[in-house]
């Protein structure tokens, strides 16, 4: 199984990088997981102009990566418990998760996803949402493998 997590992130500094690497390492027995950070001058410039420009730049960066079963993170997405989230992994050998930038994700991009989920009704800092996602990916893989981590 291949799982990619895409995020629009200016810097790795103070972004729970060590913790995320640990979840990737622990998940390795179940799946090949990659953390793909996308940020470029076009995104930086677009974000300084405003929301519409930023969303267009995010779309351009993300659309070439829409492969496999695509899951977008959005505060208005479906809320799943850990067992429901784990079911996503049962039926898909290639998954791509997308975390929006400062302005979230466009409706256009969300419409191209197979699933749109919310990690919480609360708004989270980008780096915290990303850490929670990696933990839940590991938890979901453990649930499906009957590994005791979930207990």
């Amino acid at each position: 199984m291949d799982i990619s997590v895409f995020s629009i992130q200016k810097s790795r500094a103070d972004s729970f990088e060590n913790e995320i690497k640990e979840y990737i390492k622990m998940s390795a027995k179940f799946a090949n997981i990659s953390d793909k950070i996308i940020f470029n001058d076009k995104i930086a410039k677009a974000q300084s102009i405003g929301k519409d420009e930023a969303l267009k730049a995010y779309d351009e960066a993300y659309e070439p990566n829409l492969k496999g079963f695509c899951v977008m993170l959005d505060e208005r997405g479906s809320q799943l418990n850990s067992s429901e989230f784990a079911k996503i992994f049962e039926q898909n050998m290639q998954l791509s998760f997308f975390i929006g930038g400062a302005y979230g994700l466009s409706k256009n991009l969300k419409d191209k996803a197979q699933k749109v989920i919310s990690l919480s009704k609360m708004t989270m800092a980008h780096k915290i949402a990303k850490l929670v996602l990696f933990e839940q990916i590991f938890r979901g893989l453990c649930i499906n493998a009957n590994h005791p981590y979930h207990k």
Side-chain angles (χ1 to χ4, degrees):
M1 177 182 304
D2 287 312
I3 301 171
S4 298
V5 175
F6 295 88
S7 61
I8 293 172
Q9 185 176 330
K10 195 172 194 174
S11 157
R12 286 184 186 252
D14 192 32
S15 294
F16 302 111
E17 186 174 356
N18 291 335
E19 292 84 352
I20 287 170
K21 283 181 181 176
E22 188 62 26
Y23 281 117
I24 291 171
K25 182 179 171 185
M26 291 187 303
S27 300
K29 61 184 148 220
F30 306 116
N32 177 37
I33 300 180
S34 56
D35 180 15
K36 301 186 182 264
I37 297 171
I38 299 174
F39 198 83
N40 56 39
D41 292 339
K42 188 170 189 172
I43 291 172
K45 184 178 180 184
Q47 286 185 154
S48 70
I49 294 170
K51 182 178 181 177
D52 291 341
E53 289 299 317
L55 291 174
K56 270 192 242 175
Y58 303 161
D59 286 0
E60 287 178 22
Y62 276 163
E63 283 184 0
N65 298 295
L66 296 175
K67 296 177 180 127
F69 190 87
C70 295
V71 180
M72 306 289 168
L73 271 63
D74 183 83
E75 62 191 5
R76 289 171 293 285
S78 302
Q79 290 197 335
L80 308 174
N81 65 36
S82 295
S83 295
E84 292 167 336
F85 183 72
K87 288 181 182 170
I88 294 171
F89 303 106
E90 290 178 343
Q91 302 156 354
N92 302 290
M93 292 306 291
Q94 183 180 16
L95 291 109
S96 299
F97 289 88
F98 296 86
I99 303 172
Y103 293 101
L105 296 167
S106 73
K107 181 183 180 329
N108 172 55
L109 198 64
K110 289 184 280 189
D111 287 346
K112 294 178 180 180
Q114 282 71 43
K115 196 154 199 68
V116 180
I117 65 169
S118 172
L119 297 176
S120 171
K121 289 184 179 183
M122 293 185 274
T123 302
M124 294 183 206
H126 184 91
K127 64 185 180 180
I128 294 171
K130 186 174 174 179
L131 178 61
V132 169
L133 176 61
F134 274 96
E135 192 279 337
Q136 286 298 303
I137 289 170
F138 177 64
R139 183 176 297 276
L141 293 169
C142 287
I143 289 169
N144 291 343
N146 293 314
H147 185 280
Y149 175 81
H150 180 64
K151 308 278 184 263

